[in-house]
Amino acid sequence: MINSTQVSYFALAAYFDTGLFKYLYFMVIMSLYLFIVCANVLLIVVICTNRSLHEPMYLFLCSLFVNELCGSTGLFPFLLVQILSDIHTVSTSFCFLQIFCLHFYGAVEYLNLAIMSYDRYLAICYPLHYNTCMTSKKIAILIAVTWLYPCFAMVVLLSLITPVKLCGNIIDKVFCATHSVVKLICSNTIGINIFGLIASFGTIFVALNVILYTYLHILRVCFSGSKETRQKAVSTCTPHLASLLNFSVGASFELLQSRFDMNSAPNILRILLSLYFLTCPPLFNPVMYGLKMSKIRALTKSLISNICS
């Protein structure tokens, strides 16, 4: 048994020899990362620099894009280095940093999607009271809770994991994840597992209840309301529902892989499924919102035209 604070590195066993194809994979992943950075930064700049977009819905979107930028940066540069490397190892300190970044990203993403559904609920179900309900103070509190709760949960979880003794240092993934490290612990992990369940419950259960409650009421209003109300609901809720479904499917793949034995599945399939929730939302969300929301689309076109001219 070895103390995790004394382990100098973890070995990532999911990587395999791809020969000269590694340069192709490197170029593909580099292109995806550059697109994610450019698309998310562009929309963040558009929202921040245009006062007409300083409304709750767009501020929550900005928070979503910032989080996706952070999550992508916690993964893609690491993947690029590992693809070109012949030895797939990661230092202990960086592994725990990556665990913090990726799990933090996942929790913030889901909570952010929940407050966006709450915002749409107020806008569609209570349009006359929307401005009095969704004040600047309330927006700041919602965004702060979305970011601070996952940060606190991850700091506590890592403080429980880092001092424990390990039976090895081999992680069967292409990146560092909490459950992969916890499986290496030799001693009893009941305390860590209980806290992990409580933290996950606080994120998933609360967010899911908010999303289900708000959309049930939105559907009720749509069926009983006017054609204009239905059009407003469809135009603003469609991209949000697509984002929610996209992230939920990817996160479910990762949760199932971490909790159940997936060794019978092909290695490449397990890698792709584990990367889905970290790559697809940051890739598709800025495109989807940029194309579907008319105000963002018009201002983005104007900004690009000014840059190019």
Side-chain angles (χ1 to χ4, degrees), residues 36 68 76 105 246 275-286:
I36 288 170
E68 289 172 350
F76 279 88
Y105 152 78
N246 189 27
L275 292 174
Y276 184 97
F277 89 106
L278 295 165
T279 55
C280 289
L283 187 64
F284 292 122
N285 284 350

Side-chain angles (χ1 to χ4, degrees), residues 4 7 16 21 39 86 88 133 205 239 243 249:
S4 66
V7 173
F16 56 93
F21 281 106
D86 294 325
H88 304 293
C133 291
F205 182 79
S243 298
V249 169

Side-chain angles (χ1 to χ4, degrees), residues 9-147:
Y9 68 92
F10 288 101
L12 301 170
Y15 286 96
F16 56 93
D17 183 25
T18 56
L20 293 177
F21 281 106
K22 68 181 180 181
Y23 298 108
L24 174 62
Y25 297 146
F26 179 88
M27 293 303 299
V28 169
I29 292 175
M30 173 67 84
S31 300
L32 288 175
Y33 181 54
L34 289 176
F35 180 83
I36 288 170
V37 170
C38 292
N40 282 280
V41 168
L42 176 64
L43 293 187
I44 291 167
V45 170
V46 167
I47 293 171
C48 291
T49 57
N50 290 277
R51 292 190 64 85
S52 62
L53 296 181
H54 291 181
E55 299 174 7
M57 178 172 65
Y58 299 110
L59 294 176
F60 294 141
L61 265 180
C62 188
S63 173
L64 188 76
F65 297 143
V66 170
N67 179 54
E68 289 172 350
L69 202 57
C70 295
S72 300
T73 304
L75 174 70
F76 279 88
F78 175 79
L79 288 180
L80 292 171
V81 172
Q82 291 296 325
I83 286 172
L84 294 182
S85 177
D86 294 325
I87 302 174
H88 304 293
T89 59
V90 56
S91 67
T92 305
S93 57
F94 187 87
C95 187
F96 287 127
L97 176 62
Q98 188 176 56
I99 286 172
F100 176 88
C101 291
L102 299 186
H103 287 266
F104 176 77
Y105 152 78
V108 172
E109 188 85 354
Y110 202 39
L111 291 173
N112 211 122
L113 290 169
I115 63 170
M116 287 171 68
S117 67
Y118 172 68
D119 172 70
R120 292 300 82 209
Y121 159 73
L122 290 178
I124 294 167
C125 299
Y126 303 99
L128 299 178
H129 303 286
Y130 179 73
N131 290 329
T132 55
C133 291
M134 195 59 76
T135 61
S136 298
K137 183 179 179 181
K138 191 169 188 177
I139 294 167
I141 291 172
L142 287 172
I143 293 175
V145 170
T146 298
W147 286 74

Side-chain angles (χ1 to χ4, degrees), residues 187-244:
S187 57
N188 195 310
T189 60
I190 289 178
I192 295 172
N193 289 331
I194 288 174
F195 179 80
L197 287 172
I198 292 171
S200 299
F201 180 84
T203 302
I204 297 171
F205 182 79
V206 172
L208 184 61
N209 272 278
V210 170
I211 291 165
L212 291 175
Y213 176 84
T214 54
Y215 269 102
L216 284 173
H217 281 271
I218 288 171
L219 284 172
R220 180 176 57 82
V221 169
C222 286
F223 284 122
S224 61
S226 63
K227 183 179 179 180
E228 183 183 351
T229 302
R230 286 194 293 273
Q231 288 176 340
K232 180 182 177 182
V234 169
S235 65
T236 59
C237 292
T238 300
H240 177 260
L241 280 171
S243 298
L244 184 61

